[in-house]
Amino acid sequence: MKRISILGVTGSIGTSALDLIARNRDSFSCIAFTANENVEALAVAARTCHAKLAVIANEAHYEVLKTHLSGSGIEVAAGAEAIENAAAMEADFVLSAIVGAAGLRPTLSAIKQGRTVGLANKESLVCAGDLMTETVKASGARLLPVDSEHNAIFQVFDFDRPETIAKIILTASGGPFREWSLEAMRSATPAQAVKHPNWSMGAKISVDSATLMNKGLELIEAYHLFPVNVDQLDVIIHPQSVVHSMVEYIDGSVLAQLGSPDMRTPIAYAMAWPERMAAPVPRLNLADVAKLEFLKPDMVRFPALGLAWEALKAGGAAPATLNAANEVAVAAFLDGRIGFLDIASIVSDTLDKIKFASILTVEDVMIVDENARVHATDLVKRKH
Ligand code: NAD
Ligand code: MG
């Protein structure tokens, strides 16, 4: 039995992981489950899976959670620090599936203990990539990418011979606005932005997919996960989301991982690693798909991708600034306070205005993150 903890158990990734656990009851024993606000879903998950501990981030929900779980024998805790402690608990696999920079401290907490971490929370690597990879080296932890592109690359990357790799090519669906004009995007609604053509995901990452910021964050994520330099990273639009990413070798061979667009495949891969386990995903039928298309990304209609590329090249505090400003702008867009195109312009303005310090500690990251949030929030108010 593998002992598993899930940080962000109530989210889109968390729920998919629960589905896999339900179908493989004999393979997993559940340790700690965490959530932000949704006490009911957290309590149901903890009871169903007989978890040892359930933690809710919002301390105001502590009593409600306690009531829901009374008599179950499941321990209950609340608050951000309790989530970090939950992440540090003895476990064979920790799924990091909190959304946003809020996942950084909990993910680092698991890494410090040398755990095997299934990383869905890309924002933590974006804002603290060097710190995280150094901590991984120091503790002997292992990061298994859950993001579908990085999971695909992980499956075809020859880690024993990194010098034989020419480049990594991340595929992007292009999102719901792939064929929209800038004029049409200007008045795009949150409902239109979260309606992803191929994947069903949480609201934040769905908007990131619509702006292509998601692919930008993934470039930074790939840079930290794989031994490549910035010029070896490339992005290609692939509307069918069947080829999940590719690795090109120096002899011209291109290896790819393919599958139906269902996150339960990469989640199952990480959960079962180094074995494999069955996942109840629709089988890929290439004759039905019939056609696979590939196009260059449009950097004019999707400026977020270029901003992320620049932030990656700039290094230091730029990626954390990009990420924090994006989180603020996406939340404001989802709230109807700014327009769709304002997201990238707020990120761009924040990157221009914030002074870049170097990042050595998690406290440094939090300061950069907070400064960027203050600046971006101010920009949101001015646009509103
Ligand atoms: P989601 O919004 O559906 O779920 C987020 C989870 O994080 C919830 O359980 C929520 O309770 C928890 N959470 C939110 N804020 C928190 C806070 N401040 N403190 C503690 N917990 C908090 O998001 P999701 O779509 O499942 O995405 C989770 C992560 O996985 C993101 O980083 C996303 O980029 C990444 N990811 C998701 C998908 C996908 O298909 N959904 C694919 C690839 C990568
Ligand atoms: Mg992805």
Side-chain angles (χ1 to χ4, degrees):
M1 290 259 262
K2 216 175 225 188
R3 293 164 303 171
I4 180 171
S5 288
I6 305 179
L7 315 175
V9 75
T10 54
S12 163
I13 294 287
T15 309
S16 291
L18 287 177
D19 178 60
L20 291 166
I21 291 173
R23 294 164 195 267
N24 295 278
R25 268 285 145 72
D26 299 338
S27 307
F28 296 97
S29 89
C30 297
I31 307 295
F33 284 178
T34 81
N36 192 30
E37 295 280 351
N38 194 340
V39 195
E40 281 75 24
L42 172 62
V44 169
R47 270 189 190 271
T48 313
C49 299
H50 308 290
K52 293 208 180 332
L53 169 70
V55 188
I56 191 84
N58 185 339
E59 295 180 39
H61 297 322
Y62 176 69
E63 289 301 331
V64 186
L65 182 61
K66 220 166 131 183
T67 311
H68 276 304
L69 291 177
S70 72
S72 66
I74 300 167
E75 265 183 71
V76 172
E81 212 179 305
I83 292 191
E84 280 182 58
N85 295 338
M89 279 171 80
E90 185 81 45
D92 302 305
F93 181 78
V94 179
L95 182 61
S96 164
I98 291 173
V99 61
L104 174 59
R105 282 183 188 273
T107 307
L108 265 177
S109 165
I111 290 174
K112 276 185 197 150
Q113 299 301 318
R115 304 277 178 255
T116 297
V117 175
L119 188 75
N121 177 235
K122 67 191 86 183
E123 294 91 346
S124 56
L125 259 189
V126 169
C127 62
D130 291 337
L131 181 66
M132 269 175 67
T133 48
E134 279 157 22
T135 316
V136 164
K137 269 190 214 134
S139 70
R142 188 180 282 280
L143 284 183
L144 298 174
V146 169
D147 210 351
S148 58
E149 297 75 6
H150 307 73
N151 187 268
I153 295 162
F154 187 85
Q155 294 195 40
V156 296
F157 195 101
D158 188 347
F159 287 92
D160 293 328
R161 294 172 197 81
E163 69 284 359
T164 62
I165 281 144
K167 63 179 174 180
I168 281 176
I169 306 154
L170 295 174
T171 53
S173 71
F177 305 147
R178 182 171 59 85
E179 295 184 307
W180 287 36
S181 68
L182 267 175
E183 242 356 87
M185 278 196 261
R186 196 176 304 284
S187 47
T189 65
Q192 290 167 324
V194 299
K195 210 167 159 283
H196 196 278
N198 307 337
W199 301 91
S200 143
M201 312 181 284
K204 192 259 176 184
I205 183 175
S206 296
V207 176
D208 286 346
S209 300
T211 57
L212 287 200
M213 180 59 89
N214 183 51
K215 213 47 54 180
L217 300 177
E218 291 184 356
L219 278 171
I220 303 174
E221 183 185 13
Y223 172 77
H224 291 293
L225 283 173
F226 305 106
V228 291
N229 53 47
V230 181
D231 331 315
Q232 288 174 292
L233 294 170
D234 212 348
V235 170
I236 193 161
I237 304 295
H238 167 45
Q240 291 77 22
S241 300
V242 163
V243 176
H244 295 315
S245 278
M246 300 171 257
V247 173
E248 183 189 310
Y249 284 80
I250 49 175
D251 62 3
S253 299
V254 178
L255 303 195
Q257 183 257 3
L258 283 70
S260 297
D262 188 316
M263 284 308 292
R264 287 174 300 180
T265 294
I267 297 170
Y269 180 91
M271 281 170 68
W273 187 90
E275 311 288 325
R276 288 202 184 246
M277 69 191 221
V281 303
R283 298 293 117 170
L284 177 60
N285 184 326
L286 283 173
D288 284 350
V289 178
K291 197 166 83 173
L292 297 178
E293 294 167 287
F294 299 92
L295 309 96
K296 274 195 177 154
D298 183 334
M299 307 298 279
V300 177
R301 283 185 304 130
F302 299 98
L305 184 56
L307 291 172
W309 220 303
E310 290 308 316
L312 171 59
K313 287 181 190 150
T321 303
L322 170 100
N323 178 67
N326 182 58
E327 285 190 32
V328 169
V330 169
F333 169 70
L334 284 168
D335 259 12
R337 284 180 283 135
I338 59 169
F340 182 75
L341 297 182
D342 293 332
I343 299 173
S345 83
I346 285 174
V347 173
S348 172
D349 278 10
T350 309
L351 279 167
D352 284 346
K353 304 272 155 51
I354 297 283
K355 281 217 180 65
F356 294 131
S358 70
I359 287 193
L360 298 173
T361 65
V362 68
E363 288 74 25
D364 295 340
V365 181
M366 292 341 273
I367 292 169
V368 170
D369 177 275
E370 184 53 30
N371 286 343
R373 276 171 208 270
V374 169
H375 191 83
T377 304
D378 190 45
L379 291 170
V380 166
K381 280 189 198 136
R382 275 191 252 162
K383 295 211 187 263
H384 186 46

